[in-house]
């Protein structure tokens, strides 16, 4: 696990910089209280790869109890599933590129389903390298990602309906006015009204879920 977490990047993210660094003015209890009140998950890992702290948000995100995480190997606990290849690659890439300072996103599968996570790894400076801890900030962005996917699906459906209507009207115009083939106006009028209604309902559906 050490190879996954080792980094020379001492830069902390804004969300962790004021909380994870050792400060004489902030006690351990106060820092844990701050962590417990955060909506994002916080995990701290020792230099040898053992998890020594998780807040309640992290246990909810990974759908694991605090007892099953604290004191356990980070690699064996959270990187062992083959279902989470993108998540596992993120930490392997961290070991090769000295932990990117920018936020990375990855999917993670729990018993509750697949989640979209934004993850930032930071080195917490301690007195010696052997005592170093690595802070992992985990944000659950599943709702935002699902909404984006819904908007993309609706946009494709909306475009498909518009294309169908355009082709229909073009074909009708070609047959009726260019080729002068007689058509039953009532049937085609009914078809246009039906397609217009479907398009109207799609517009309402798309805009209501996009707001």
């Amino acid at each position: 696990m050490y190879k996954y977490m080792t980094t020379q990047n001492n830069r902390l993210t804004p969300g962790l910089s004021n909380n994870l660094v050792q400060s004489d003015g902030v006690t351990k209890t106060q820092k844990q209280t701050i962590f417990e009140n955060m909506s994002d998950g916080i995990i701290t890992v020792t230099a040898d790869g053992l998890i020594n702290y998780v807040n309640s948000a992290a246990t909810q995100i990974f759908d694991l109890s605090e007892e099953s995480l604290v004191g356990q190997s980070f690699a064996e606990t959270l990187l062992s599933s083959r279902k989470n290849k993108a998540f596992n690659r993120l930490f392997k890439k961290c070991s090769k590129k000295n932990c990117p300072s920018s936020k990375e996103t990855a999917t993670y599968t729990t018993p509750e389903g697949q989640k979209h996570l934004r993850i930032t790894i930071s080195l917490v400076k301690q007195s010696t390298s052997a005592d170093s801890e690595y802070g992992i900030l985990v944000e659950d962005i599943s709702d935002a990602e699902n909404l984006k996917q819904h908007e993309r699906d609706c946009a494709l459906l909306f475009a498909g309906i518009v294309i169908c209507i355009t082709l229909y009207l073009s074909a009708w115009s070609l047959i009726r006015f260019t080729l002068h083939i007689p058509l039953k106006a009532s049937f085609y009028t009914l078809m246009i009204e039906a397609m217009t209604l479907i398009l109207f309902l799609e517009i309402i559906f798309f805009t209501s879920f996009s707001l």
Side-chain angles (χ1 to χ4, degrees), residues 1-13 16 20-22 35 41-54 74 78 91 94-95 98-99 119-126 128-138:
M1 176 57 199
Y2 179 74
K3 67 178 182 179
Y4 289 158
M5 303 302 300
T6 302
T7 176
Q8 300 298 322
N9 186 358
N10 295 336
R11 183 178 178 183
L12 294 172
T13 61
L16 294 174
L20 292 180
V21 289
Q22 298 296 319
F35 293 163
I42 295 291
I43 302 176
T44 58
V45 183
T46 62
D48 55 0
L50 297 178
I51 301 173
N52 62 357
Y53 175 79
V54 294
F74 181 87
L78 297 177
F91 289 91
C94 173
S95 66
N98 294 328
C99 285
I119 303 166
T120 306
I121 306 171
S122 299
L123 173 64
V124 182
K125 298 177 67 175
Q126 299 282 343
T128 63
S129 59
D131 294 331
S132 296
E133 292 183 358
Y134 300 89
I136 304 173
L137 175 66
V138 183

Side-chain angles (χ1 to χ4, degrees), residues 117-166:
L117 306 178
R118 180 181 292 124
I119 303 166
T120 306
I121 306 171
S122 299
L123 173 64
V124 182
K125 298 177 67 175
Q126 299 282 343
S127 56
T128 63
S129 59
D131 294 331
S132 296
E133 292 183 358
Y134 300 89
I136 304 173
L137 175 66
V138 183
E139 303 173 66
D140 188 351
I141 57 173
S142 299
D143 291 340
E145 289 297 321
N146 291 337
L147 179 58
K148 289 180 181 179
Q149 183 60 47
H150 174 77
E151 291 178 350
R152 287 192 290 266
D153 294 341
C154 287
L156 290 175
L157 183 57
F158 178 82
I161 292 176
V162 171
I163 292 173
C164 289
I165 293 177
T166 302

Side-chain angles (χ1 to χ4, degrees), residues 20-68:
L20 292 180
V21 289
Q22 298 296 319
S23 173
D24 295 336
V26 181
T27 65
K28 181 178 179 180
T29 302
Q30 289 174 324
K31 284 187 287 187
Q32 289 184 350
T33 301
I34 294 173
F35 293 163
E36 289 301 319
N37 290 328
M38 293 178 63
S39 59
D40 298 331
I42 295 291
I43 302 176
T44 58
V45 183
T46 62
D48 55 0
L50 297 178
I51 301 173
N52 62 357
Y53 175 79
V54 294
N55 66 349
S56 57
T59 61
Q60 293 176 5
I61 290 173
F62 292 102
D63 196 24
L64 295 170
S65 65
E66 181 179 356
E67 292 75 16
S68 65

